[in-house]
Amino acid sequence: MTGAILYVSEYLLYAGRVSVTASILAEDRITLTPMADSPELARALDDANVPTLLAAYAYLTHDADFLERFAPHIRPAYSNPPTDIPEDIADELRIRIRRLLTTGDGLADSTPSDALVQRIMSVTVGEPVEDEFLELVYDQCGFRPWIDRSKVAGRKTPKAGFKVLVIGAGMTGMAAATKLREAGYDFVVIEKNADVGGTWYENRYPGVGVDTPSHFYSFSWEIWPQWSHYHPHGADMQRYMLAVADKYDLRRDIRFQTTVERLVWDEKTCMWTVTVRNSAGACEDIVVNAVINGHGPVNRYKMPDIPGLADFNGPVVHTANYPSDLDLKGKRVAVIGTGASSAQLCGAIAAEVAELTVYQRTKHWVIYNPEIAHDVSEGMKWALANIPTFKEWFRFRVYWSAADGLFANVLKDPAWEGNMQAVSEGNEMTRQYALSYMHAKFADRPDLIEKLTPDFPIFSKRIILDNGWFDALARPNVHLEDKGIARILPNGIEAPDGSVFECDVIICATGFNVSKMVGDLEIKGTGGRDLGEEWGDEDPRSYLGMCVPGYPNYFHTVGPNSAPNHAAGQNLISEAQVNWIIEALDRVNEAGARAFEVRQDAFDAWNRKVDERMPQMIWTHPRANSYYNNSKGRVFLSWPWRLVDFFNATRRPEEGSYRLIA
């Protein structure tokens, strides 16, 4: 989940619990039951975000002329000068939408045209939004979900006995379970943990949070109005996952505390034999037609390879396996790593520990987003839950500001000659914003500015959203070490110069083994091919991040070159891949075939396309080196286009790109 900036004002104060209902039908009509006119409603509208209210009003009324009165005053996110809507027309909007909500006066009798929706999008984000984004917005913002296969006339019901096994019950696995059931497929989910949530079940360290905004980092079919924070804490995210599992009754098809160990393809039967092990250690073979691997790349945490680590006398923990009973109060703590997890952790524990030393190997760009610490007011929750289309339009604004609206940052400008720390004028402006924030925070600490300032372009590695990280580093009990670690002693950490920091606890915020995408799984395909051997420890390749020739009916989600590393959007990638996979299974079902396999020529052509694109991207800058790249410099993780391009590419398998095995 890459970081992103999103500036959000205080939207609504408490507006009371009055009732409003709306039915938004994709094809034709909108109906609305008027709500009570009340002081709470008036106050809510006074505090509401004006562009979002405008979008909802224009959608419900089709009042294009009134919409255009705002166009000169709304500017793109992060622009200078910022959006500045005159109070007179803002007040007129509040009066109009109050009348609409309380009386129904002005409500259109049909949904707006594509042209009007596109114009609402463009006006309310302050820049042109092209028509290629329409289908994504309709689907991902909940206006017109892409497809409910259970309601498709003439669609062939999946063949009885055709079974799918899903690995993992994190975001992708839960999406797969929801949509497989909707599509009528028999399936089972295998989950190693005791409940759903994946990353958000496992990551429980102090300060854990999400750098993707809440109102976008969620399922498009379950847009939640109950977020407590604009950027969810880890517990917020897990509560959402649990609520989704409850609402859709997902647990009845999940086998918990069970681990998948081996997948073997049988060419004669066109079936996968999946070996699983339960919590008691007993193994079982499950024979299925297809496998969707949703175990994710940030599921296998990585301990640092430092001499003496096993000999330390105190607790040694990883942030991804943080014990709930670890007490740090008054302790001397060493944190190894300075990425996103470390920044969140240190911001949360610095005030309670006696001494904190943070060991930095890699510098990271840090961006301040004042919204990250803001709570969602009860009024905003009420508006999201009750004002027709408000939550849909708010989700669109978040998507635009935190995802594809940021794409220009990662695209190299061939004409850029400014410096080696940026790839374009816009990228340099973002870098200067981050620098100005750092210099302001550490005006009296030039030593920290020197230690923290990267020499590579911003966005070429994952950025950090500051939520207490810089404040923690400025504390007198916190020390940032950038000279490396020689070894771990039983009583502390020794630096290369021989100095020792004596500590009671070592916390490793050292990330995950992202490049070995099969993890510990053994995956045997056609002719005994071994996917782990073919991909090795750091060189995975696939088709659309999902398929590999020689492994029929095996779909590896969130795979090579499918990560949205320009900004937010892993939720969209997961949903899009699940959609494509079910479309692929439907091709098998419709043809009466047994298996789906991507063609070698399509696989090769796709990877050539990715390789040809990468030199245009920031991640191939000479100074960029991150977990997006392997040791040879190849960018194996990142999707080098926009989210809308991934969405449009995964509506259905391209004819000629695959073969069906009869």
Side-chain angles (χ1 to χ4, degrees), residues 84 189 348 428 544:
D84 185 17
V189 182
E428 172 64 10
L544 281 177

Side-chain angles (χ1 to χ4, degrees), residues 22 26 89 97 110 128 135-136 162 180 208 223 282 321 323 348 368 370 390 449-450 490 511 608 621 648 650:
I89 61 171
I97 198 166
S110 64
E135 290 296 346
L136 180 151
F162 189 98
L180 283 167
V208 61
I223 303 176
N321 190 30
Y368 177 58
F390 190 90
I449 291 175
E450 181 180 357
R608 283 195 301 271
H621 186 278
N648 290 334
T650 51

